[in-house]
Amino acid sequence: MRVRFDGEEIEAEEGQTVAGVLLARGVRSWRTTRGGDRPRGLFCGIGVCFDCLVKVNGVPDVRACQRMVADGDDIRTQAGAELPS
């Protein structure tokens, strides 16, 4: 299947999470923190933390470690988080 990451079309396998697809491509960071723009990517890998947030199909704050990719997904890096404070 094919997905897009920051505008680039990439291959993905059925059953992979967004984090799995990105890690397989060597991408280690796909979000920056609200304070200081520090890079973040996969940390806990089980959906407990919020380090792996991405935008998928325009929806912010998607946990990349839990979201399975679907053919045609548009995945974007995210600056900070849009979670309620």
Side-chain angles (χ1 to χ4, degrees), residues 46-74:
I46 59 172
V48 175
C49 74
F50 295 91
D51 276 356
C52 68
L53 299 178
V54 290
K55 288 185 181 181
V56 179
N57 302 324
V59 177
D61 300 329
V62 175
R63 290 182 179 137
C65 68
Q66 293 188 320
R67 170 64 158 67
M68 297 293 183
V69 292
D71 193 38
D73 273 348
D74 181 34

Side-chain angles (χ1 to χ4, degrees), residues 7-83:
E8 179 185 350
E9 193 169 284
I10 58 175
E11 291 281 335
E13 298 292 327
E14 187 174 341
Q16 279 186 303
T17 62
V18 171
V21 170
L22 297 178
L23 289 171
R25 295 207 30 100
V27 180
R28 300 288 182 248
S29 173
W30 49 82
R31 180 179 82 87
T32 56
T33 59
R34 284 185 273 189
D37 289 328
R38 292 183 299 270
R40 294 292 185 262
L42 191 63
F43 180 68
C44 74
I46 59 172
V48 175
C49 74
F50 295 91
D51 276 356
C52 68
L53 299 178
V54 290
K55 288 185 181 181
V56 179
N57 302 324
V59 177
D61 300 329
V62 175
R63 290 182 179 137
C65 68
Q66 293 188 320
R67 170 64 158 67
M68 297 293 183
V69 292
D71 193 38
D73 273 348
D74 181 34
I75 304 160
R76 301 282 174 162
T77 56
Q78 183 169 317
E82 297 182 27
L83 297 168

